[in-house]
Amino acid sequence: MDGIGTHQAWISLRVATDVLPLLVNACSEACVQALPTPPDGYVRTPHPGGPGIDQPTADYA
């Protein structure tokens, strides 16, 4: 993807029995918005990461 502006976003997706944080390198913001919805209990939309992201409250907290 050299030479084009990439749009990076974090998303949490289920892989087998686990939910993994995945870093997406997308070609456009439209591609980022087309990503699947994360499972309940995780940030609901793709995001840039960092300390400003409001994480859902854990069910054990």
Side-chain angles (χ1 to χ4, degrees), residues 48-59:
I53 301 299
D54 289 328
Q55 297 287 338
T57 303
D59 59 359

Side-chain angles (χ1 to χ4, degrees), residues 31-59:
C31 288
V32 171
Q33 295 307 315
L35 291 169
T37 303
D40 289 339
Y42 293 85
V43 177
R44 301 303 301 158
T45 59
H47 58 85
I53 301 299
D54 289 328
Q55 297 287 338
T57 303
D59 59 359

Side-chain angles (χ1 to χ4, degrees), residues 14-19:
R14 184 167 303 284
V15 177
T17 60
D18 300 317
V19 176

